[in-house]
Amino acid sequence: MIRIVVFYLAIQLNGLLVRLYLEGYMTIEVLILLQLFLLGAACLEITHHKTVQAKNMTLQNRLRWLLLGFVAMVAFAVFISFLFPVQTRNQAVLLQVGKQVPHVIFLLFLVNASILEEILYRQLLWEKLTFPFVQIGVTSFLFVLAHGPNQLGSWLIYSCLGVTLAIVRLKTGCMTAITLHLLWNSLVYVLTFL
């Protein structure tokens, strides 16, 4: 339970560091150093505690699930955005922050968010739940809440993203879910600067 709280606080710290930089309380050098420290701590957690263990499957099957998950996430996002006017609060903040900070800071923020969120939701919380349906439902719901949906469209988009990440986690393990989240946030990074 302590590790769950620590990872939740690390996710909050990731955002707080960028806010402190934007408000002038921190230099870019200190921010980059702290972001790298946060990333290193997450990687140390993965390797030292063997937090993330891969399922025994071929690389080809893992890549299939990764590609399928990414295509599903993009398709859901495009489809839902056609049905509803979707401008999530999280998306608005990301666009604003992405245009105000240097690229390296925004990229480190997205990498940290991807890794920390997946470890929290799709590994630490996942292990506390017993049945796959409950694991998928609870972790996806908490993922949605963490992204602050403010309208039906944003609820649907984050629900689809959370469920897709959870299904990929169920079928392949947490490392593929982390990779998928990194891939999704890479798309966010590219679209922010178009």
Side-chain angles (χ1 to χ4, degrees), residues 18-134:
V18 174
R19 248 180 275 138
L20 290 173
Y21 168 77
L22 287 173
E23 293 176 9
Y25 295 112
M26 190 179 298
T27 65
I28 188 170
E29 295 84 10
V30 171
L31 175 58
I32 290 173
L33 184 65
L34 290 173
Q35 284 181 313
L36 289 172
F37 176 77
L38 194 57
L39 180 60
C43 292
L44 184 63
E45 166 70 20
I46 290 171
T47 57
H48 181 68
H49 292 288
K50 302 211 182 325
T51 300
V52 177
Q53 295 184 8
K55 286 190 172 190
N56 190 16
M57 66 184 326
T58 66
L59 179 62
Q60 186 177 9
N61 280 339
R62 199 172 301 282
L63 290 174
R64 274 192 203 129
W65 277 104
L66 181 65
L67 180 62
L68 180 64
F70 186 70
V71 168
M73 291 168 87
V74 170
F76 286 136
V78 169
F79 180 71
I80 292 167
S81 66
F82 279 125
L83 295 178
F84 302 97
V86 177
Q87 175 66 25
T88 69
R89 191 175 16 203
N90 186 59
Q91 184 182 25
V93 169
L94 283 176
L95 287 172
Q96 182 183 12
V97 168
K99 294 182 189 297
Q100 291 179 320
V101 299
H103 292 281
V104 68
I105 290 173
F106 190 57
L107 191 57
L108 279 170
F109 169 78
L110 291 174
V111 167
N112 282 336
S114 301
I115 294 171
L116 294 170
E117 287 177 4
E118 289 310 307
I119 291 172
L120 176 65
Y121 298 116
R122 256 65 75 180
Q123 187 61 38
L124 299 176
L125 285 171
W126 189 275
E127 290 176 338
K128 299 288 184 201
L129 305 167
T130 52
F131 302 106
F133 182 76
V134 174

